[in-house]
Amino acid sequence: MVSADTARNVVGIIGNVISFGLFLSPVPTFVQIWKRKAVEKFSPIPYLATLLNCMLWVFYGLPFVHPNSILVVTINGTGLVLEGIYLTIFFIYSPKKLRVKVIKILSGELAFVAVVAAVVLTTAHTYEKRSLMVGILCVIFGTCMYASPLAAMKHVIKTKSVKYMPFWLSFAGFLNGLCWTSYALIKFDIFITIPNGLGAIFGFLQLLLYVCYCGCTPVEEVQEERKEVEMA
């Protein structure tokens, strides 16, 4: 019979592969941004939220905070690098006003993580306390990362167009949340269970929107057609 530790490691490795796919899913979007030399209506919020989430999970998985979490560190460290690349591209092709917004949010995130690290390492002197303090933050900001596409979901419902909600990001987010929830339930870790369980739900809702609106004619196109008819 397979032990819980073995099963958890196997699911964790699968989770790493799926998470890597999640982190790579924005590539088509950024290829499009690079080709058009403009970010158009794409939002930087999902990438900023993911960057912060990765920083916190890397800290959570370090041996002096939560031992035996190397799989958490490896994939989130990879995600940290990739999100940094995406945000660099986004910054290059953003208008000045949006660049300022990105810099402000990014500066705030870096300052926040530095303060968290300083407080945790100086006030918490056991693994349990450090895991608890960082874990609570990971739950909060992990949930924010999965919830960050909600603005795009609102735009989809309003315009009846899925153009600015990348399918592969939604699909990978759903699979990622599902896999890491399974990982956390094998050897229960509430800090991994909550955000990833919610992530699976948010991802499923996004996929439902694709089913509903993928074949619809965008509101903007309908309005343009009406104007053309009125002018004719």
Side-chain angles (χ1 to χ4, degrees):
M1 187 174 179
V2 178
S3 67
D5 286 337
T6 301
R8 195 169 189 257
N9 285 333
V10 170
V11 175
I13 292 170
I14 295 171
N16 267 248
V17 174
I18 295 174
S19 294
F20 187 62
L22 172 64
F23 292 134
L24 287 179
S25 61
V27 169
T29 298
F30 282 90
V31 169
Q32 180 180 331
I33 289 173
W34 175 71
K35 286 182 177 179
R36 297 184 179 181
K37 311 298 182 185
V39 296
E40 299 179 306
K41 293 184 181 180
F42 288 108
S43 171
I45 299 302
Y47 312 106
L48 288 164
T50 303
L51 184 77
L52 177 58
N53 182 64
C54 287
M55 286 192 284
L56 289 172
W57 279 113
V58 167
F59 186 48
Y60 177 83
L62 293 176
F64 49 81
V65 176
H66 193 79
N68 304 315
S69 299
I70 187 64
L71 292 175
V72 175
V73 175
T74 52
I75 189 56
N76 283 285
T78 302
L80 191 61
V81 173
L82 290 173
E83 296 303 321
I85 294 172
Y86 297 149
L87 286 170
T88 300
I89 296 172
F90 197 96
F91 181 83
I92 291 172
Y93 295 113
S94 296
K96 184 178 179 180
K97 185 177 180 180
L98 191 54
R99 286 183 182 181
V100 172
K101 179 181 178 181
V102 170
I103 290 175
K104 286 181 178 179
I105 295 175
L106 184 57
S107 299
E109 289 182 351
L110 292 172
F112 175 73
V113 172
V115 170
V116 168
V119 171
V120 169
L121 295 178
T122 55
T123 63
H125 302 294
T126 64
Y127 295 139
E128 290 76 15
K129 289 182 179 179
R130 290 177 178 176
S131 296
L132 177 63
M133 292 174 70
V134 182
I136 290 172
L137 292 174
C138 286
V139 168
I140 295 171
F141 291 102
T143 302
C144 288
M145 180 194 78
Y146 282 119
S148 59
L150 288 176
M153 292 169 69
K154 180 181 177 182
H155 183 75
V156 168
I157 295 171
K158 182 179 179 181
T159 63
K160 300 187 184 301
S161 171
V162 295
K163 182 179 179 181
Y164 295 106
M165 189 173 73
F167 171 79
W168 290 111
L169 183 60
S170 301
F171 183 66
F174 169 68
L175 290 181
N176 186 67
L178 200 62
C179 189
W180 283 106
T181 300
S182 301
Y183 171 86
L185 291 175
I186 293 173
K187 193 173 181 180
F188 191 63
D189 187 329
I190 191 170
F191 301 124
I192 297 178
T193 302
I194 294 176
N196 286 288
L198 290 173
I201 294 172
F202 286 141
F204 180 71
L205 291 176
Q206 291 168 46
L207 293 175
L208 278 181
L209 285 181
Y210 270 97
V211 173
C212 294
Y213 295 112
C214 191
C216 293
T217 302
V219 172
E220 292 178 357
E221 290 185 14
V222 172
Q223 291 175 343
E224 289 179 2
E225 288 177 1
R226 286 178 180 174
K227 288 181 181 179
E228 290 177 359
V229 170
E230 290 173 357
M231 292 175 64

